[in-house]
Amino acid sequence: MRVLPPGARGYILCAVLAAVACVAPAFADSGTPWASVALLAVLYLGCELVKIWPLPGSRVPEGIGSFFPVVLAAVFLLPPPAAALVALPGALAGTVVQRPAWVRRVWHGAQQSTAAWVAGQTYRLLRGPAALGSSGGSGPPGAADPPVWVADFPYVMLPAAASAVAFCLVLTALDGGILATAERRPAATAWRGLLTRSLAPHCVHGLAGLMMAVMWRSPYGLPAALLVLLPMYISCWVFAQYHRERAAHQATIRALVQAVDIKDRYTRGHSERVGQASAMIARELGMAEDRLEVVRIAGILHDVGKLGVPTRLLRKDGPLTPEERRVIELHPEYGHEMVRGIGFLGEARSAILHHHERVDGSGYPYGLTGDQIPVLARVVAVADAFDAMTSTRSYSRARPVEVALAELARCAGAQFDPAMVGALTGAVGRHGWHPVVTSDDDLQVISGGSPTGGGTGAPTLAALPGQGGQGARPAAVSPASPAPPGAGT
């Protein structure tokens, strides 16, 4: 959200007003248990601040989200407006990576407060307070408990589970709305995958929150309730380890790309831009978020096989001989062999191997046709050719974006999958093309809007020295070729 569209501003304002309406009754109600509200709010705030200011000698665990067990415990222990109030301090102080930070903090506060209020209402509707062993309010810690305290198990788990689900539904619904309004994602894909990824973690947090509430209401009181947070901390630590492993994967990918860029100075920065365009196509096609990331990685690593090609061929200024071209055309197989043992790449490996196949069967290395070519390979092929035409190289100036799209459309059905070409055209028309710039200069940037044809007489895809800029240099290109000659990226 670099610049918020008017729709996103209005959406956030509505969320803030909804949150204010949720918490306001807590200040008007004389029965609000302020001691419990303060304790839970401080506890939630402390859990969030630990991620920003870790203890001496420790490090901030990457990828740790909000510590919702405390908020959900508040949902089970307090009236809904008070629970909504508990969520505010921690949400406002939570970790924010992207800018504008203050807008994101306000959004998180409004989002979590509203979700806590809805969860609290759900919990009360299902008679959760009575099942937990309280009259619905919550006095300060240490208040007198009934002589015999028994929570109504297993019934109490039903309202608790329903509340956790309601909490998750509100968060994901609001998240999808902000994606649609702020990032202008299609409504059909803005919410896709959000609930399925979030439901299980929120249910686990709800269980921990219920355990905390049960211990809070028990004769053992607050100290026992705090002990419940220990296993959750261990779970968060395991989750952090997963994210550190993911960061190591990203570092591995980065090292491979840098090695390719150093070896082939003609296409420096090409890999990142192909990954970016591949992700745009995948998102336009409605692929799930996890697969979208695989597509992006496939685009970034599609040329890793160049590491197995002699440098003198990659940097040759003159035409390539048939034998030299055959050597360069081995790079998809080299790349596949290099990454075959890297398990986390998954489906990206097939895209690396087949991104130079053509739908008419004249590509390489295996001459696959149509649907025989993996979907990710067809995505990367279009993104690869698009960046080759729209970025400046030492031997070729960047072509206008609309000319590149028109040329891709001309070659659709013979070289490229028409569905992938249409998806790229739609994505560029909706979001514009703002490439990741590394070393290349004068990259084409186009803002959102329907791309129009133009540039009569401008060089076409056939006039490029090869899809992705590798293979033959300009002197080796036959301008009569209907598509990139050999597409030797």
Side-chain angles (χ1 to χ4, degrees):
M1 294 192 300
R2 297 175 184 173
V3 179
L4 283 175
R9 296 178 188 178
Y11 186 79
I12 293 175
L13 178 61
C14 290
V16 171
L17 292 176
V20 170
C22 290
V23 302
F27 297 96
D29 185 2
S30 60
T32 299
W34 289 108
S36 296
V37 170
L39 276 173
L40 288 167
V42 169
L43 183 59
Y44 183 44
L45 176 63
C47 292
E48 296 300 306
L49 291 180
V50 165
K51 298 183 294 184
I52 303 174
W53 297 302
L55 298 175
S58 63
R59 56 184 296 185
V60 178
E62 300 175 14
I64 299 299
S66 298
F67 202 68
F68 289 140
V70 178
V71 177
L72 290 169
V75 167
F76 305 144
L77 290 167
L78 305 174
L85 194 57
V86 167
L88 269 179
L92 293 173
T95 304
V96 174
V97 177
Q98 298 179 344
R99 297 179 179 179
W102 70 271
V103 174
R104 292 178 181 272
R105 292 183 192 279
V106 169
W107 164 251
H108 291 159
Q111 182 187 32
Q112 292 183 27
S113 291
T114 304
W117 184 86
V118 172
Q121 294 292 354
T122 304
Y123 186 68
R124 289 194 162 222
L125 183 65
L126 296 175
R127 300 177 60 247
L132 188 60
S134 74
S135 60
S138 176
D145 290 305
V148 178
W149 176 90
V150 179
D152 186 6
F153 279 101
Y155 176 77
V156 71
M157 299 185 67
L158 174 62
S163 300
V165 171
F167 187 80
C168 178
L169 285 173
V170 174
L171 290 181
T172 54
L174 292 174
D175 275 337
I178 200 65
L179 289 175
T181 56
E183 299 186 9
R184 296 193 174 111
R185 293 194 187 180
T189 60
W191 284 271
R192 182 171 297 172
L194 292 178
L195 182 61
T196 53
R197 290 196 306 271
S198 304
L199 187 57
H202 281 89
C203 287
V204 173
H205 284 201
L207 178 60
L210 177 62
M211 293 169 60
M212 186 175 177
V214 168
M215 298 308 295
W216 184 294
R217 284 294 183 198
S218 74
Y220 303 103
L222 178 61
L226 294 178
L227 289 177
V228 174
L229 299 179
L230 180 60
M232 285 304 300
Y233 175 81
I234 295 174
S235 299
C236 290
W237 180 84
V238 172
F239 192 62
Q241 291 296 105
Y242 162 77
H243 277 271
R244 291 193 188 102
E245 182 180 351
R246 181 180 176 86
H249 293 167
Q250 296 294 334
T252 300
I253 293 170
R254 191 77 197 133
L256 290 171
V257 172
Q258 287 177 340
V260 174
D261 285 348
I262 290 172
K263 185 164 186 175
D264 185 8
R265 64 176 181 268
Y266 286 109
T267 58
R268 192 159 298 171
H270 170 67
S271 298
E272 289 88 346
R273 294 191 298 273
V274 172
Q276 180 185 357
S278 298
M280 289 177 66
I281 295 172
R283 184 175 287 113
E284 189 72 14
L285 292 171
M287 291 187 184
E289 287 293 327
D290 54 348
R291 199 177 188 203
L292 191 150
E293 177 65 11
V294 174
V295 174
R296 189 186 70 84
I297 293 174
I300 290 174
L301 291 180
H302 74 286
D303 271 346
V304 70
K306 284 182 179 179
L307 295 174
V309 176
T311 304
R312 63 179 180 82
L313 297 184
L314 296 176
R315 299 185 178 184
K316 185 176 181 180
D317 292 324
L320 295 174
T321 66
E323 180 60 31
E324 290 171 334
R325 178 170 293 281
R326 282 192 292 271
V327 171
I328 284 182
E329 289 180 355
L330 291 173
H331 82 271
E333 295 175 274
Y334 290 157
H336 182 260
E337 192 66 25
M338 289 176 185
V339 303
R340 186 170 60 180
I342 305 179
F344 72 88
L345 290 180
E347 196 178 0
R349 295 192 291 264
S350 65
I352 293 170
L353 178 62
H354 297 295
H355 71 278
H356 281 302
E357 304 285 2
R358 298 168 51 129
V359 295
D360 63 3
S362 62
Y364 63 89
Y366 300 131
L368 302 183
T369 63
D371 291 341
Q372 292 178 335
I373 306 171
V375 173
L376 267 60
R378 285 178 265 157
V379 170
V380 173
V382 172
D384 189 14
F386 177 71
D387 181 68
M389 288 187 283
T390 56
S391 58
T392 295
R393 310 293 168 82
S394 60
Y395 50 81
S396 175
R397 298 293 297 174
R399 278 66 170 172
V401 170
E402 57 270 19
V403 172
L405 293 175
E407 182 65 12
L408 288 172
R410 186 181 70 84
C411 296
Q415 179 171 358
F416 305 115
D417 185 334
M420 308 306 169
V421 174
L424 178 62
T425 302
V428 172
R430 182 176 292 107
H431 304 291
W433 172 239
H434 305 279
V436 178
V437 180
T438 52
S439 299
D440 291 347
D441 298 323
D442 299 328
L443 291 169
Q444 292 293 307
V445 177
I446 187 169
S447 29
S450 298
T452 57
T456 304
T460 66
L461 191 58
L464 288 177
Q467 181 183 330
Q470 179 53 47
R473 302 304 177 206
V477 176
S478 169
S481 172
T489 316

